[in-house]
Amino acid sequence: MKKLMATVSEWLSKGENVIMVTIIADSGSTPRGAGARMAIISDGSFTGTIGGGAVEYKVQQMAMEAFVDKNVKSQIKSFILSPNEKEDLGMICGGNVTVYIQYISARDENARKLFARGSELFSQNIDSWLVTEITDEADWRMSIHTPDSNNCSSIPGNEGKELFTNRGAQIEMGSGKKYYSEPLTRAGRVYIFGGGHISQELAPLLPRLGFSCFVFDSLQKFANAELFPAADGVIVGDYDDISASVDITEKDYVVILTRGHSFDFSVLAQTLRLQPKPRYIGVIGSKAKIAAVSKKLREQNFLQEEIDSIHTPIGIDIKAGAPAEIAVSIAAELIMIRAESTLSHQLGQFCY
């Protein structure tokens, strides 16, 4: 989504009209689910994907025909992915997808501003949502919403809160208006403590999943941009005084993978003392290490409920062994925690 927003913003600024395609509903087995997007311009260049295969090919054909015929109109289109069904595409997935094919004119100043703003938001640690009104599919309105922005009239007052969910969804309001809403950016940084083998596998994976990632190590050779080019930041700091280098909030995730048990414990104890506590604290370790750490935490007067909140052994149990496998299990657990998170703040609106 970060690349798509930036690319569409660049295209519009250069005077290129864009057709953006979004899966707004899916059922059964499909290559990609709701929220998958791609954008196409008149020379056939595109960014993003809605799953490849016959659906994506058909949509690209429709887009190119529309550009050539100059009969460009936003519309909703459904595809049947089961064989031998009316209007099927010859696929064997067995599901259905509904896409919104959205024409965006480079002459639309509001659209240019919106995509520029959307691209900027990826550098900020805040929640935001991209909402498209599709009540009249040919006459769409799109807006970006953040917690701290001014109210606007594009969404009815209280019922608008239904739109701000953790996953993309097509929603019909009591007023009869229809919207497609999905998270654009998510607040919450992942702080990885330790720059070893597992961290080197995890750090490049997280940005692809929509997480902002920072790596912390006490040694320069393990905390440098060359080793972690995909990270948003690398920090050389003291494991015994992490607050001197990082400001961890209640929306953040702490992944503890240092090179020694004593460092792990020091970071863990400091993290547990934070008020408010971060959204997630995970520590790598064997059952024996976990038992020893728990005993030591109790000796330092930590409550059992605080100890029980620690995710250890870290990650979802997928029988992982290799560093890359462990990284996948950790990433999966972070995805699960993020999906289960609830909104605890009052939402304002930032709209174009």
Side-chain angles (χ1 to χ4, degrees):
M1 195 61 167
K2 179 179 181 180
K3 180 181 177 182
L4 185 142
M5 294 296 290
T7 302
V8 172
S9 178
E10 181 181 358
W11 283 338
L12 293 174
S13 69
K14 291 180 177 179
E16 293 280 359
N17 299 324
V18 177
I19 290 179
M20 187 163 68
V21 184
T22 307
I23 296 180
I24 60 174
D26 66 287
S27 63
S29 178
T30 62
R32 292 288 302 274
R37 290 182 187 261
M38 68 181 301
I40 310 161
I41 56 176
S42 60
D43 68 0
S45 299
F46 68 93
T47 184
T49 179
I50 56 170
V55 174
E56 186 165 302
Y57 177 70
K58 180 64 175 178
V59 167
Q60 286 176 308
Q61 279 188 315
M62 292 172 64
M64 297 312 297
E65 289 169 3
F67 279 129
V68 171
D69 296 341
K70 300 188 184 303
N71 181 27
V72 185
K73 184 174 70 173
S74 300
Q75 60 177 305
I76 293 174
K77 177 72 174 175
S78 294
F79 296 97
I80 300 170
L81 306 187
S82 301
N84 304 317
E85 296 287 343
K86 184 180 179 181
E87 295 184 357
D88 79 86
L89 295 177
M91 298 179 71
I92 61 173
C93 299
N96 302 318
V97 297
T98 301
V99 301
Y100 184 49
I101 302 170
Q102 181 181 3
Y103 176 69
I104 305 170
S105 172
R107 291 177 295 183
D108 187 337
E109 183 180 357
N110 288 336
R112 294 198 305 271
K113 288 181 178 179
L114 182 136
F115 281 92
R117 172 60 173 162
S119 185
E120 291 172 358
L121 282 170
F122 284 92
S123 64
Q124 301 173 27
N125 189 31
I126 60 174
D127 290 316
S128 67
W129 288 260
L130 183 63
V131 179
T132 307
E133 183 183 343
I134 54 176
T135 310
D136 178 354
E137 59 194 70
D139 183 24
W140 56 268
R141 286 189 294 172
M142 183 178 279
S143 51
I144 292 173
H145 302 256
T146 64
D148 58 353
S149 40
N150 296 326
N151 289 332
C152 67
S153 59
S154 69
I155 295 177
N158 291 331
E159 70 175 3
K161 294 178 183 178
E162 299 174 29
L163 293 172
F164 304 110
T165 61
N166 284 319
R167 295 184 181 278
Q170 185 179 184
I171 300 168
E172 183 171 354
M173 298 297 194
S175 61
K177 290 180 178 284
K178 296 179 182 178
Y179 299 90
Y180 179 76
S181 175
E182 66 174 313
L184 177 63
T185 59
R186 308 287 187 91
R189 294 170 169 150
V190 180
Y191 289 98
I192 303 174
F193 288 90
H197 295 307
I198 296 172
S199 301
Q200 289 166 36
E201 298 288 351
L202 180 61
L205 179 58
L206 293 178
R208 296 176 63 86
L209 301 171
F211 290 99
S212 176
C213 170
F214 291 77
V215 180
F216 182 113
D217 201 287
S218 62
L219 299 178
Q220 179 71 54
K221 68 177 182 178
F222 290 120
N224 63 78
E226 291 183 3
L227 200 58
F228 295 100
D232 289 296
V234 289
I235 303 152
V236 180
D238 184 353
Y239 281 136
D240 292 326
D241 188 13
I242 61 174
S243 293
S245 303
V246 294
D247 182 17
I248 299 171
T249 74
E250 71 274 15
K251 294 180 180 179
D252 296 330
Y253 308 78
V254 173
V255 176
I256 303 174
L257 307 169
T258 78
R259 61 187 178 275
H261 292 353
S262 62
F263 294 141
D264 282 351
F265 183 83
S266 180
V267 174
L268 174 60
Q270 292 172 75
T271 305
L272 283 175
R273 292 190 182 101
L274 292 173
Q275 292 297 331
K277 290 181 172 54
R279 180 180 296 177
Y280 171 94
I281 303 172
V283 187
I284 195 166
S286 64
K287 289 183 179 179
K289 174 186 172 182
I290 293 165
V293 166
S294 297
K295 181 176 181 293
K296 193 171 181 180
L297 287 172
R298 285 192 293 270
E299 291 172 351
Q300 293 196 8
N301 297 319
F302 284 98
L303 301 175
Q304 188 60 45
E305 63 186 42
E306 293 178 302
I307 298 171
D308 292 341
S309 71
I310 303 165
H311 293 263
T312 188
I314 197 169
I316 290 176
D317 185 4
I318 57 172
K319 312 303 179 188
E325 295 174 338
I326 296 171
V328 169
S329 77
I330 295 170
E333 189 164 58
L334 295 179
I335 292 170
M336 181 178 68
I337 296 299
R338 180 174 64 184
E340 292 173 347
S341 300
T342 57
L343 302 176
S344 59
H345 45 64
Q346 179 69 30
L347 286 164
Q349 299 175 10
F350 175 94
C351 303
Y352 285 120

